Amino acid sequence: MCASHCGGACLLKVHVRDGIITRIETDDGEEPQLRGCLRGRAYRQRVYAPDRLLYPLKRVGQRGEGRFERISWDEALDTTARELLRVRDTYGPASIILAQMTGDVCSLNNFGAMDRLLSMAGGYTSPWGVTSFQGGVYASLVTYGTWFCSNTRDDLLNSRLIILWGWDPASTVTGPNTCWYLAQAREAGARIICVDPRYTDSAATFAHQWIPIRPGTDTAMLLAMAHVMIREKLHDQAFLSTYTVGFDRFSDYVMGAEDGLPKTPRWAEPITGVPAATIEQLAREYATTRPAALMTGIAPGRTAYGEQYHRAAITLAAMISSQRV
Ligand code: SF4
């Protein structure tokens, strides 16, 4: 598999002669294929990149001076083990922090290998949360009770409107085949809108409309969309009353009953940089096009209070939920 950490893990067929990679192909079997992109198929260039580190190096100059010398693997392992034991015995196991997340190392050697090693050596301190998308995890857990809560990618083919919000699946696929299904959905007539500060490859390739937004202001725009939907009674109150709790308080906040500040598109415009008319249009389109998919990326949630972006998007989805087929 490709371990590029884009959320894909596509299939790679690596041709090797005398221990050297000569060619990389990908899935060419029956659809749906786990078909790799150009980045995955160019993995050979990464493996043989001239500036890739192939052996342990030890600093010999001052820090920042950039002077290193090659050492053996035995010396590297002995040094690391000796220092781990010294720090553990001097300051206690809690003084060792394991700041690892996913990526190539976990694909090759298992995520838990280092945890296991340090646990057997007396314990360690681990970071809190998920470095990639803790805002999304938190929002999903408090709202849905689980973070396994989205439809499979093939369900995009049933959508007539797809909003890619802060997500560029052309570079961060988050599941093989995402772009394949997006392309098919577009060919089948689905309208695709990208809300993103950047004109991404996905916006260039798939989107009928690109709505640039000031980074970190996504929640304000989602609230303003909710304002339009509530004001124009485009939301499904029966569904909300039957299957959710808390919408009345959300509505009070959005409409300004709680703090005297209605979260209108005009309120959101100077915050987000998105024209009020664009916000109104998107709110109406999302509320009246069925079925619609609001696909939220994890980047907008990587901000202060980023979980509110995810919670707002979940709420918007619930506001039209029962209207989907
Ligand atoms: S989509 Fe991601 S996992 Fe798949 S081949 Fe490309 S970089 Fe690798």
Side-chain angles (χ1 to χ4, degrees):
M1 57 163 269
C2 176
S4 286
H5 202 202
C6 71
C10 303
L11 187 151
L12 296 184
K13 297 178 188 171
V14 182
H15 297 254
V16 179
R17 186 181 299 137
D18 299 330
I20 304 291
I21 300 171
T22 56
R23 193 157 55 96
I24 295 180
E25 294 179 308
T26 187
D27 197 353
D28 54 5
E30 287 184 14
E31 302 283 8
Q33 301 169 351
L34 301 176
R35 194 173 183 79
C37 72
L38 292 179
R39 183 169 48 190
R41 280 181 270 175
Y43 222 113
R44 184 171 167 272
Q45 294 172 30
R46 246 191 288 177
V47 172
Y48 298 126
D51 55 353
R52 185 172 171 212
L53 296 179
L54 299 175
Y55 36 74
L57 296 170
K58 180 176 161 185
R59 176 163 60 81
V60 291
Q62 293 299 310
R63 180 174 285 201
E65 209 179 329
R67 291 176 50 222
F68 297 89
E69 68 177 18
R70 180 175 178 174
I71 59 173
S72 68
W73 283 102
D74 281 346
E75 184 180 349
L77 290 169
D78 285 347
T79 305
T80 309
R82 191 173 59 244
E83 282 302 295
L84 269 175
L85 293 175
R86 182 186 69 77
V87 171
R88 182 199 67 182
D89 294 343
T90 310
Y91 305 103
S95 64
I96 299 170
I97 186 165
L98 176 58
Q100 70 165 3
M101 280 293 154
T102 56
D104 294 79
V105 66
C106 93
S107 304
L108 291 170
N109 302 316
N110 187 304
F111 195 87
M114 197 63 192
D115 302 71
R116 178 109 173 103
L117 173 71
L118 290 179
S119 295
M120 293 177 76
Y124 61 98
T125 298
S126 61
W128 176 86
V130 182
T131 50
S132 288
F133 44 84
Q134 184 57 32
V137 170
Y138 174 83
S140 289
L141 290 178
V142 299
T143 314
Y144 290 130
T146 173
W147 63 335
F148 299 102
C149 48
S150 58
N151 297 19
T152 51
R153 292 285 181 263
D154 55 338
D155 207 18
L156 287 171
L157 299 178
N158 296 316
S159 299
R160 289 181 52 220
L161 172 69
I162 299 169
I163 302 175
L164 302 178
W165 198 304
W167 183 32
D168 177 20
S171 66
T172 311
V173 296
T174 324
N177 291 334
T178 296
C179 292
W180 187 62
Y181 285 119
L182 276 175
Q184 288 185 86
R186 189 186 153 110
E187 282 170 14
R191 205 169 119 73
I192 299 179
I193 298 173
C194 282
V195 181
D196 204 302
R198 301 178 305 138
Y199 188 60
T200 59
D201 287 347
S202 298
T205 308
F206 299 115
H208 297 87
Q209 184 183 4
W210 170 51
I211 301 176
I213 183 171
R214 187 170 290 136
T217 66
D218 306 84
T219 310
M221 180 162 162
L222 289 162
L223 292 179
M225 288 172 64
H227 187 281
V228 175
M229 291 162 66
I230 297 169
R231 188 185 68 210
E232 300 185 4
K233 297 192 171 24
L234 300 174
H235 62 300
D236 188 336
Q237 187 58 54
F239 176 87
L240 292 165
S241 302
T242 308
Y243 296 108
T244 72
V245 292
F247 184 76
D248 45 350
R249 283 204 61 190
F250 175 79
S251 178
D252 282 352
Y253 176 72
V254 167
M255 302 311 284
E258 183 180 305
D259 58 1
L261 182 62
K263 313 303 179 298
T264 64
R266 279 196 184 284
W267 163 81
E269 181 176 308
I271 299 171
T272 61
V274 181
T278 304
I279 298 174
E280 302 231 2
Q281 169 256 324
L282 183 62
R284 289 190 195 108
E285 194 171 349
Y286 177 60
T288 57
T289 310
R290 304 161 203 164
L294 177 54
M295 310 290 287
T296 48
I298 59 178
R302 288 170 153 175
T303 55
Y305 310 107
E307 67 278 4
Q308 303 293 30
Y309 149 75
H310 290 285
R311 297 177 75 196
I314 292 169
T315 306
L316 232 64
M319 287 170 70
I320 62 162
S321 192
S322 70
Q323 296 172 346
R324 299 177 183 199
V325 285

